[in-house]
Amino acid sequence: MNKITLHKGKEKAAWQLHPWIFSGAIKNVDGSPANGAIVKVFNIDKEFIAYGVYNAHSRVAVRLLEWSQQHPVDDGWWRNRVQRAIELRTHLLTDQNDTVRLIFAEADFLPGLIVDKYGDFLSVQVHSSGIETVKTIIVEELVKLLQPKGIYERSDLNARQHEGLSDTNGLLYGEMPSEFVEVIENGIRYQINIVEGQKSGFYCDQRDNRSLTAHYVKDKRVLDCFCYSGGFTLNAFQAGASSVVSVDSSALAIETLHKNMALNGFDTTILTAVQADVNKYLRQLREEEEKFDVIILDPPKYAPSRSALDKAARAYKDLNRRALLLLESGGLLATFSCSGAMDIDTFKQVIAWAALDAGKEIQFIRQFNQPEDHPIRASFPEGEYLKGLLVRVV
């Protein structure tokens, strides 16, 4: 087996079970490992550290998998990891919820692999050359364990470019998902587009937060920004909101929202669905002197890396300032960031700056997190990406 030797002093994080070895930490590569090949990693004193997957194209040159030398990474190892990840989530699948993240990359010791269950179908994303190499094994195990109607791959991600991989979308097993697949979450039914929808088709990472936010909307006028297919909107209607204005720049999102409203039998006369740029629309609402009781901001990732954090902080501040201007005393803002580079303390500071610029005094009354099917490994804090705050205007 090919061997990787680390520079002196570069092994500390690996000993502490962090799964990434950066290219600059490598002293020697013995052999000629192909991208996606399993390698053994040693320190300068020739002590075994872990097995990992090698990729010469990536800044993360080795993704560590297994720290016990007695457990080599073979086909059985991959199958066991898939089995364990699914076992830990079976309790989340109920008659009120059939959409769950089954595998969450590094958190499940399967770096570069995302698997989401949407009703009878699975959506797969492959980010790394290591997973690409064993994709057939992964699919076989998923079929064996879950017997899905179909497995569709949505590997059209920037991360693949860094691994030397081209984008690939297509059917991996079974039947092709129809244009809209019906799922249920929090007792609410959704028609989602696996093939053409954003990311893997649906944002199941907001499941708990949608339910928590709904506790505050009864008889309230709600503004749901970046509504996508209506997760927060539909939970608000289920909880008794008096009206909801839902905004997204995507025509497909607005179309899907209308389908989901009809699917659940909600009163469409108290929904205003707007296809628009959210920032521009917030300015328009301000000019029209509109006010809301509850506003939800669930924007896309503004900070894909730490180098983008300063620019992202300004964007988050401006967005939240515009929303706060539409709230009176007692109004609530549920605001989120899915940027892993922004920690919760920084996010709180950004919201505080937004409130100051808006001339609002605020209180933080609840903190939101990602759900248990998106766990955070203690040795890999980078897996914590979703955070949110419930803010009350005083």
Side-chain angles (χ1 to χ4, degrees):
M1 182 179 290
N2 299 292
K3 297 180 180 180
I4 303 290
T5 303
L6 303 183
H7 285 291
K8 185 176 181 179
K10 294 295 184 179
E11 73 277 12
K12 183 178 179 181
W15 281 129
Q16 294 175 344
L17 309 183
H18 193 282
W20 290 353
I21 299 290
F22 291 96
S23 57
I26 295 176
K27 178 178 174 62
N28 291 318
V29 179
D30 295 331
S32 302
N35 292 333
I38 302 298
V39 296
K40 286 183 176 181
V41 179
F42 296 85
N43 67 5
I44 198 71
D45 297 320
K46 300 182 180 179
E47 295 174 303
F48 175 83
I49 299 175
Y51 294 102
V53 175
Y54 181 74
N55 191 315
H57 282 285
S58 177
R59 183 166 169 256
V60 182
V62 184
R63 297 177 186 272
L64 300 181
L65 303 170
E66 174 61 59
W67 281 259
S68 171
Q69 194 166 7
Q70 285 69 49
H71 295 95
V73 179
D74 54 17
D75 290 3
W77 186 95
W78 292 105
R79 292 180 188 277
N80 288 336
R81 280 299 180 195
V82 171
Q83 291 169 17
R84 183 59 176 153
I86 292 172
E87 285 172 1
L88 292 172
R89 293 164 169 84
T90 52
H91 66 286
L92 296 174
L93 294 167
T94 69
D95 59 355
Q96 296 296 297
N97 190 75
D98 65 2
T99 171
V100 167
R101 175 147 293 180
L102 295 173
I103 298 175
F104 185 40
E106 279 85 354
D108 289 302
F109 296 84
L110 292 164
L113 177 63
I114 300 292
V115 179
D116 291 325
K117 184 178 188 299
Y118 297 133
D120 295 325
F121 290 87
L122 302 182
S123 179
V124 171
Q125 291 183 313
V126 176
H127 301 197
S128 70
S129 59
I131 297 297
E132 189 71 34
T133 302
V134 296
K135 188 162 64 178
T136 299
I137 296 170
I138 300 293
V139 170
E140 287 176 356
E141 197 61 26
L142 290 171
V143 172
K144 173 186 170 184
L145 295 170
L146 299 164
Q147 294 87 48
K149 282 187 179 179
I151 302 177
Y152 191 83
E153 181 176 8
R154 286 288 308 273
S155 298
D156 46 3
L157 308 127
N158 291 335
R160 286 179 65 89
Q161 298 175 13
H162 300 303
E163 294 275 314
L165 301 171
S166 57
D167 290 353
T168 178
N169 292 340
L171 191 66
L172 297 177
Y173 166 81
E175 66 182 68
M176 190 76 172
S178 57
E179 182 181 5
F180 290 99
V181 172
E182 186 172 318
V183 302
I184 187 167
E185 181 196 82
N186 296 338
I188 297 171
R189 293 188 292 163
Y190 296 84
Q191 287 192 341
I192 64 172
N193 189 311
I194 294 175
V195 176
E196 296 179 357
Q198 295 176 20
K199 298 293 185 180
S200 61
F202 187 66
Y203 292 101
C204 56
D205 57 356
Q206 288 281 30
R207 179 193 317 110
D208 294 351
N209 298 330
R210 287 191 266 261
S211 178
L212 289 168
T213 302
H215 290 310
Y216 299 89
V217 304
K218 184 174 175 56
D219 299 324
K220 304 294 185 183
R221 189 177 186 215
V222 177
L223 173 63
D224 179 11
C225 298
F226 309 97
C227 66
Y228 189 40
S229 55
F232 284 99
T233 294
L234 296 171
N235 276 264
F237 276 117
Q238 185 184 56
S242 62
S243 67
V244 182
V245 177
S246 303
V247 190
D248 201 285
S249 62
S250 164
L252 176 60
I254 297 300
E255 176 190 352
T256 308
L257 168 60
H258 282 298
K259 288 178 180 292
N260 290 335
M261 285 288 292
L263 187 64
N264 289 277
F266 292 136
D267 184 358
T268 57
T269 65
I270 55 175
L271 169 71
T272 302
V274 180
Q275 183 188 350
D277 175 271
V278 167
N279 280 284
K280 291 180 179 178
Y281 190 67
L282 290 175
R283 286 197 294 269
Q284 177 185 327
L285 291 171
R286 173 66 172 167
E287 291 168 359
E288 295 171 355
E289 299 183 347
E290 293 281 0
K291 296 293 180 181
F292 295 87
D293 302 306
V294 179
I295 298 177
I296 300 152
L297 297 178
D298 187 21
K301 186 188 296 184
Y302 284 172
S305 64
R306 291 199 174 277
S307 62
L309 190 55
D310 286 347
K311 181 179 179 181
R314 291 192 293 272
Y316 281 119
K317 188 189 79 166
D318 289 344
L319 175 67
N320 282 273
R321 177 183 59 81
R322 292 188 180 106
L324 287 167
L325 287 168
L326 304 178
L327 292 170
E328 300 286 17
S329 178
L332 296 174
L333 170 66
T335 182
F336 297 90
S337 168
C338 61
S339 298
M342 175 167 286
D343 60 49
I344 187 64
D345 290 334
T346 304
F347 192 49
K348 284 182 178 179
Q349 185 61 67
V350 167
I351 304 307
W353 288 333
L356 190 64
D357 285 0
K360 304 286 186 178
E361 180 66 39
I362 62 170
Q363 298 169 328
F364 298 124
I365 61 174
R366 182 185 283 275
Q367 193 164 306
F368 300 108
N369 303 288
Q370 59 206 64
E372 66 172 281
D373 55 341
H374 293 66
I376 304 154
R377 249 170 78 188
S379 56
F380 187 65
E382 293 90 339
E384 184 174 12
Y385 70 97
L386 180 62
K387 76 284 301 174
L389 296 164
L390 186 63
V391 179
R392 179 165 56 207
V393 174
V394 181

